[in-house]
Amino acid sequence: TTRKGKLNPPPVDIMSVDEDGVTADSTPVALMHGMADSSDSEGMRALAASLQAYYPRKFVISLSVSDGLASILRPMPEQVDEFARVVRGCPDLAGGFDAIGFSQGGLLIRAYVERYNSPPVRRFVSVCSPQEGVGVCPLSPIFQWLCPIWRAGAVHATPRGRFSPPPKRPTLQSAPTRPPSCRCPPTK
């Protein structure tokens, strides 16, 4: 089609051109799962396979960081440190990567960018992550039982799976809470 006698530009694939117009087809993509999920779950495997099929020149990896119950019980700073170790241990990510985080995974990537960002995150996509905090715990029987315990700081899982006194650093669910009535201004 034309506009005022000129050809319309072809559509641009935002995953293949960066802000400087440089082709970024080969920039690797790292996926980070959400709370209680794992890197090898059916959903994460399917997403990684879909991205790889759609962008065949990209290296795509679903990162194995605090999988399953560890994503609920391990303190967030420890998860961020683990994320950094896993990323640094993957040679394909050494030159930088695009990161897609789902729910808690988006918070984890954001914390990595703020704390480490080496190797650097080139583009960050946060899907359903509570970047402005959470007002209430998820409506699920297990979380309705766990949330009051988290808020009281009464439980903490050690690396060996034993419970110990509350950590000085909060677990994820107790860290970003905000009052449900909070009307935060839009993020700029």
Side-chain angles (χ1 to χ4, degrees):
T1 61
T2 62
R3 180 181 62 221
K4 295 184 183 180
K6 297 181 181 177
L7 290 175
N8 287 333
V12 174
D13 180 349
I14 62 169
M15 289 294 284
S16 64
V17 178
D18 68 16
E19 63 275 0
D20 298 321
V22 176
T23 300
D25 283 349
S26 61
T27 302
V29 177
L31 305 173
M32 187 59 223
H33 64 80
M35 184 182 346
D37 200 356
S38 68
S39 59
D40 65 350
S41 70
E42 183 178 343
M44 293 302 290
R45 284 194 321 260
L47 181 59
S50 294
L51 282 169
Q52 189 70 67
Y54 196 77
Y55 300 104
R57 291 183 12 182
K58 285 187 176 289
F59 170 78
V60 179
I61 185 170
S62 179
L63 298 173
S64 180
V65 175
S66 295
D67 287 341
L69 193 57
S71 68
I72 297 172
L73 298 175
R74 185 170 291 143
M76 186 64 160
E78 291 178 18
Q79 291 185 51
V80 176
D81 293 344
E82 180 184 3
F83 183 92
R85 281 191 305 274
V86 169
V87 165
R88 289 174 177 169
C90 182
D92 292 294
L93 303 180
F97 59 99
D98 295 339
I100 303 173
F102 301 90
S103 190
Q104 177 178 306
L107 297 177
L108 194 58
I109 294 168
R110 178 180 171 190
Y112 166 81
V113 168
E114 291 174 359
R115 190 175 195 182
Y116 294 101
N117 208 29
S118 178
V121 170
R122 304 274 183 219
R123 291 179 205 85
F124 170 37
V125 177
S126 177
V127 181
C128 297
S129 299
Q131 297 293 343
E132 293 182 355
V134 293
V136 295
C137 277
L139 294 176
S140 132
I142 188 71
F143 287 111
Q144 293 303 305
W145 177 79
L146 280 172
C147 285
I149 295 171
W150 279 328
R151 286 192 181 111
V155 69
H156 171 63
T158 66
R160 297 181 193 272
R162 299 187 184 109
F163 292 102
S164 68
K168 291 186 169 100
R169 298 165 308 184
T171 56
L172 182 69
Q173 281 298 305
S174 63
T177 57
R178 63 176 170 83
S181 61
C182 175
R183 298 287 181 247
C184 300
T187 305
K188 293 180 182 175

